[in-house]
Amino acid sequence: MQRMLWCLCILLLSQVLPAQPELEKLFQTQLIMAENGSSVQFPEGKFYLSNTLWLDGKKNITLRGAGQGKTVLSFINQKQGAEGIKVTNAQNIVIEQLTVEDAKGDLIKTQQVKGLVLRDITAQWTGKPKPTNGSYALYPVQCSQVRIERCTAIGASDAGIYVGQSDSVWVTDCVAKWNVAGIEIENTTNAWVWKNKAFDNTGGILVFDLPDLPIKRGGHVKVYDNLITRNNFRNFAPPGNIVGKVPPGTGVMILATNDVEVYNNKIWENKTASTAIVSYYIAETPIKDKDYNPYPSQIYIHDNLYSMGKRMPTWKSKLGFIFWWKFGKRVPHILYDGIQNPDWVDTDGELKQGYEICIQNNENGTFANIRADKLGLFKGKISKDRKPYDCKL
Amino acid sequence: MIASYKTGLVLLIGVFLLFQGFLTESEPAPKMQLSAYGFFLGPLADLKPASGVFPYEVNAPLFSDYAEKARFIYLPEGARLGYHPDGSFDFPDGAVIIKNFYYWKDARQPEMGRKILETRLLLKENGEWKALEYLWNDSQTEAVLEVAGASFLHQWVNAGGKKQEITYIAPNLNQCKGCHSYDGAFVPIGVTARQLNRIEQGENQLLRWQREGRLQLPDGFAPEQAPRLADYRLAETDLNAAARGYLDGNCAHCHNPHGPASTSGMFLEYNQTEPERIGIGKPPVAAGRGSGSRKYGIVPGKPQESILLFRMESDDPGIRMPELGRQLPHAEGIALIKNWIKNME
């Protein structure tokens, strides 16, 4: 009897949805034919897709699943196209309430989209974090008016939530874990990153400006009310990538960006650099882009709550090793690489107005200017004098 | 439930067709069958062009898993193409670019026949381009409209006498735009002066079209002064020119400042002169594992340290380049680019 029931059950299940290739075709057809202003509903269930699901050139479209973990789009058997879901050249697009997994490249990539909401999405690579995982879980690039909320990004071999070359961006109420970078804002202007949890990544939240890109200058970034903790995971980025140089134990890293405010965050238990303010030179990669500015400026770190515990910084990066050598278990929380544009410094050696770095009112926020350009195991002059940086912006 | 999904699919397609047919009246409905356009005379598979349809060849073709391509342009009666030195030629409304993908059954013996797998159309309507995809039946008598793409097994014997099998992937309509995109607008790729400026059957293709009244060339046009990609397939082609031709034909449709790969900062047009834009000494931006642990796009003299070559050699969908339309590594292209980088100073 039980056997019969099982058979019946399997029979019924197999009737519920058409065969997977047919379903994949249906999904893709729906995306191609979706009328502006309509929504596409993905049913509950786990679906294995062989190709990118691609939406192009549409306006006011919602792609909606039955909920995270309920609608699961798995790209583990992907044959073509590097992304899971891709949206290009579109306006006012919402993607929500689904799980996307195991794409060969990025899980959700959106390019040239004006008005984008990614909401209640789990984007993950299953299994142990590994270098063969794709680069970005959620990846808006060259977009504007982007809202990423209540999303979870896991296992990216570059960044879990990565917003690149975009403008007007909110990232809030998200969770990023087991990525190389939890949340990364790159060459992006007017980004607010708040109330997120970034933990167990190699680096928690990164704000970078990189060379060689069409959109050169990011800035006006606020990072606040986040919990950024235990980002001590080994760096599993494939070598050659800039995030491959982020030392395990990095909480917040600001690289070569202008106008970044980091405040009211809990930055706990990141063993190497709770907060690092660095120039692109720290990456020790030659710069060929003539229009690129490699120095950070107008950085304001205030009212954060720091704690590090007593842990050794990582040995697995040159910088980490030097920290371990110089500081042992007492690595300062806020590190500045001290590599400065000579044009931005006045005769007293202080940064001129418009280029300041201000650090104020942080709880437990010990500070060091490591003068990275002169730093070595047996040389260098680390300065813990925070007076030049005691300012408001 | 099966029935309801299928019905849904049919309905969707139906609605789409109605839409095309009624709401936008000036736009002709896509034909369900390729034969309905009347592009070819006699048996469809012979691809014998009807009046108004003429073949074209390109200097530096895109590699597509060793598929051969039979290319045609259809122009409405009395209409002409407009010359453009850089971008795509100007096409009149009603024009169609027709590209048939086929394999020789045995590439060593073309007389054994071929199998046409798909025909891609680019149609110019109301000043805009749109793409349609037709899949051929096994008996090679007809090709049928397919919007969502398809994949199927295909076997052939290659030029080396080796039996090959791939899961052939015909693109869906959005994937077409994955390459055919300039600042987000749909554009043709291969119909540029640099691709079409070549000798075919003893005569310059552009001059012939001018003579036949199909193309309006500027006064005093001289082919030798016009842009031209080198034909990388010819042994006598200069190495640098061949490599730049190959990269233009295979990469630059995305890797240019207005294309889908503008995000990468790597631009591979034949006339790009800045070394770091081509990838020389350029670190990757968002390549992820596509970098293959290599540090720069191109390391002169060192192909094995160049990301460009790594991505050409890979058949992993998350690594390989181009992203679309290639599953097999292109041995001849790889050899060319390897040699080019090796000889670079």
Side-chain angles (χ1 to χ4, degrees):
Chain A
M1 185 59 197
Q2 208 170 10
R3 201 183 217 172
M4 260 179 67
L5 270 177
W6 269 115
C7 287
L8 192 68
C9 197
I10 288 168
L11 198 72
L12 276 173
L13 272 175
S14 64
Q15 295 289 313
V16 170
L17 292 166
Q20 295 263 338
E22 221 169 295
L23 208 72
E24 175 166 3
K25 204 162 199 174
L26 172 68
F27 290 165
Q28 184 55 65
T29 309
Q30 286 176 318
L31 296 197
I32 291 172
M33 306 230 175
E35 280 180 48
N36 290 338
S38 68
S39 62
V40 173
Q41 185 85 36
F42 296 112
E44 189 167 339
K46 185 163 185 178
F47 308 105
Y48 293 92
L49 304 166
S50 66
N51 207 331
T52 304
L53 283 180
W54 197 332
L55 182 77
D56 179 81
K58 306 275 182 183
K59 285 182 186 170
N60 309 322
I61 300 276
T62 299
L63 309 183
R64 185 181 295 123
Q68 296 174 78
K70 288 185 178 152
T71 296
V72 180
L73 306 179
S74 170
F75 291 85
I76 199 151
N77 302 323
Q78 189 163 21
K79 295 273 188 307
Q80 202 193 27
E83 299 87 8
I85 297 176
K86 186 160 167 172
V87 182
T88 47
N89 310 304
Q91 280 181 42
N92 300 328
I93 303 297
V94 179
I95 306 177
E96 62 182 4
Q97 297 176 35
L98 45 81
T99 294
V100 189
E101 289 180 358
D102 295 324
K104 301 286 183 208
D106 311 310
L107 285 166
I108 299 183
K109 178 176 180 180
T110 67
Q111 186 174 357
Q112 300 281 4
V113 178
K114 186 179 176 191
L116 171 74
V117 179
L118 302 177
R119 184 162 55 204
D120 298 312
I121 296 171
T122 299
Q124 62 181 349
W125 282 272
T126 56
K128 277 190 185 158
K130 48 193 177 294
T132 51
N133 289 356
S135 303
Y136 307 118
L138 301 177
Y139 178 23
V141 61
Q142 296 176 342
C143 293
S144 61
Q145 298 164 31
V146 176
R147 263 166 68 190
I148 303 177
E149 56 189 18
R150 300 194 301 267
C151 290
T152 301
I154 300 172
S157 70
D158 198 306
I161 296 172
Y162 172 100
V163 183
Q165 303 177 57
S166 294
D167 179 57
S168 301
V169 176
W170 290 358
V171 180
T172 184
D173 279 320
C174 292
V175 172
K177 64 175 176 179
W178 293 333
N179 307 287
V180 174
I183 299 171
E184 183 170 346
I185 305 294
E186 190 175 288
N187 295 50
T188 288
T189 44
N190 304 307
W192 293 5
V193 180
W194 82 100
K195 275 173 71 184
N196 302 286
K197 289 178 185 156
F199 56 93
D200 293 331
N201 306 285
T202 305
I205 297 180
L206 315 183
V207 183
F208 281 18
D209 264 17
L210 298 182
D212 299 314
L213 290 171
I215 294 171
K216 307 245 170 230
R217 205 74 179 101
H220 313 297
V221 177
K222 290 177 194 292
V223 177
Y224 61 97
D225 291 346
N226 300 286
L227 174 63
I228 302 157
T229 183
R230 270 190 348 239
N231 292 292
N232 301 320
F233 203 81
R234 76 195 142 80
N235 191 323
F236 61 100
N241 294 284
I242 181 92
V243 296
K245 299 190 174 175
V246 173
T250 300
V252 177
M253 184 179 267
I254 299 160
L255 184 146
T257 314
N258 175 57
D259 189 3
V260 183
E261 188 175 4
V262 179
Y263 60 100
N264 286 352
N265 299 286
K266 289 172 181 154
I267 307 177
W268 295 346
E269 312 295 329
N270 304 288
K271 68 181 181 183
T272 304
S274 294
T275 296
I277 304 155
V278 297
S279 69
Y280 188 75
Y281 294 110
I282 206 87
E284 296 180 331
T285 304
I287 299 168
K288 300 210 166 176
D289 183 341
K290 295 180 286 288
D291 305 322
Y292 175 66
N293 161 53
Y295 307 98
S297 56
Q298 288 200 297
I299 309 297
Y300 188 21
I301 314 284
H302 64 98
D303 295 292
N304 298 291
L305 186 53
Y306 286 96
S307 82
M308 203 180 269
K310 287 232 160 37
R311 286 192 66 179
M312 291 291 186
T314 183
W315 296 7
K316 290 193 175 163
S317 86
K318 189 174 147 193
L319 215 53
F321 191 79
I322 293 175
F323 289 175
W324 170 80
W325 182 262
K326 302 259 181 194
F327 302 120
K329 286 183 181 172
R330 303 175 71 175
V331 184
H333 297 109
I334 304 167
L335 298 157
Y336 172 40
D337 74 350
I339 301 175
Q340 293 173 335
N341 184 341
D343 296 342
W344 293 359
V345 181
D346 63 22
T347 44
D348 302 331
E350 295 199 3
L351 285 162
K352 291 181 194 167
Q353 202 181 1
Y355 303 103
E356 300 96 324
I357 287 173
C358 294
I359 298 164
Q360 227 179 34
N361 206 29
N362 297 289
E363 204 171 322
N364 297 330
T366 52
F367 169 81
N369 175 351
I370 61 169
R371 311 234 175 127
D373 46 347
K374 302 179 183 85
L375 186 67
L377 280 184
F378 299 104
K379 56 178 185 152
K381 214 173 163 190
I382 290 169
S383 161
K384 293 189 176 174
D385 178 12
R386 62 166 67 209
K387 219 164 163 194
Y389 311 100
D390 187 11
C391 51
K392 272 190 171 65
L393 279 178
Chain B
M1 276 299 265
I2 288 188
S4 73
Y5 270 96
K6 281 187 177 160
T7 317
L9 187 58
V10 168
L11 268 175
L12 269 168
I13 294 172
V15 165
F16 173 69
L17 294 178
L18 281 176
F19 221 76
Q20 294 287 324
F22 295 125
L23 294 184
T24 48
E25 264 174 73
S26 52
E27 218 173 87
K31 302 192 189 321
M32 291 306 291
Q33 298 181 321
L34 181 63
S35 60
Y37 291 93
F39 293 142
F40 302 110
L41 299 170
L44 196 62
D46 290 355
L47 302 179
K48 196 177 151 216
S51 145
V53 177
F54 56 101
Y56 71 97
E57 294 291 334
V58 296
N59 284 316
L62 172 71
F63 171 74
S64 309
D65 288 340
Y66 292 103
E68 307 281 339
K69 296 166 193 175
R71 307 170 177 87
F72 300 89
I73 291 169
Y74 165 76
L75 289 179
E77 205 175 329
R80 283 192 206 194
L81 299 172
Y83 179 83
H84 198 289
D86 308 311
S88 170
F89 283 1
D90 295 325
F91 280 70
D93 270 352
V96 184
I97 303 172
I98 306 154
K99 201 150 132 189
N100 306 281
F101 289 67
Y102 65 91
Y103 285 88
W104 300 116
K105 286 179 180 150
D106 184 337
R108 297 165 304 175
Q109 296 169 283
E111 63 277 10
M112 283 178 65
R114 66 184 175 190
K115 184 166 186 193
I116 311 174
L117 300 181
E118 52 166 331
T119 296
R120 303 181 187 172
L121 303 183
L122 287 187
L123 304 94
K124 183 89 183 270
E125 287 167 2
N126 302 324
E128 289 187 358
W129 287 99
K130 80 174 186 198
L132 291 174
E133 160 79 7
Y134 291 82
L135 290 183
W136 284 69
N137 59 13
D138 279 340
S139 52
Q140 300 280 283
T141 54
E142 187 58 275
V144 178
L145 181 67
E146 173 60 68
V147 295
S151 63
F152 46 87
L153 278 183
H154 180 70
Q155 293 179 330
W156 77 101
V157 178
N158 74 10
K162 228 176 118 190
K163 206 169 171 188
Q164 299 278 298
E165 182 182 277
I166 56 166
T167 303
Y168 189 89
I169 299 175
N172 66 52
L173 296 189
N174 285 349
Q175 286 174 319
C176 297
K177 205 171 162 195
C179 296
H180 287 270
S181 178
Y182 188 93
D183 286 339
F186 203 114
V187 291
I189 296 169
V191 285
T192 56
R194 62 187 195 260
Q195 281 286 18
L196 298 171
N197 182 9
R198 63 182 273 124
I199 307 290
E200 276 300 317
Q201 293 155 18
E203 187 179 4
N204 182 282
Q205 195 167 228
L206 300 180
L207 292 178
R208 173 167 48 234
W209 292 352
Q210 160 108 324
R211 184 167 57 74
E212 293 170 346
R214 305 188 196 276
L215 168 67
Q216 182 67 52
L217 287 171
D219 288 341
F221 175 84
E224 56 283 0
Q225 280 157 25
R228 191 181 69 82
L229 296 180
D231 188 334
Y232 63 81
R233 296 163 294 183
L234 304 176
E236 65 265 30
T237 307
D238 163 75
L239 179 60
N240 185 54
R244 294 303 297 272
Y246 185 85
L247 295 175
D248 189 289
N250 283 275
C251 319
H253 47 272
C254 288
H255 280 278
N256 75 72
H258 303 274
S262 66
T263 49
S264 69
M266 185 166 183
F267 304 137
L268 295 166
E269 319 96 308
Y270 76 111
N271 54 357
Q272 177 59 252
T273 52
E274 286 195 43
E276 60 268 35
R277 292 278 76 83
I278 306 167
I280 297 173
K282 178 188 171 302
V285 175
R289 67 199 178 94
S291 71
S293 307
R294 301 178 185 187
K295 287 184 181 155
Y296 303 107
I298 293 174
V299 182
K302 294 177 176 165
Q304 297 316 333
E305 294 178 20
S306 304
I307 298 169
L308 177 67
L309 199 73
F310 175 73
R311 303 195 80 161
M312 286 178 68
E313 287 174 332
S314 173
D315 61 0
D316 178 326
I319 294 171
R320 70 186 177 216
M321 285 284 157
E323 252 177 34
L324 295 173
R326 177 177 85 72
Q327 298 178 68
L328 300 174
H330 184 203
E332 296 77 6
I334 290 166
L336 169 66
I337 298 304
K338 199 185 257 179
N339 200 13
W340 176 61
I341 296 176
K342 204 195 271 172
N343 285 287
M344 198 183 271
E345 281 167 17

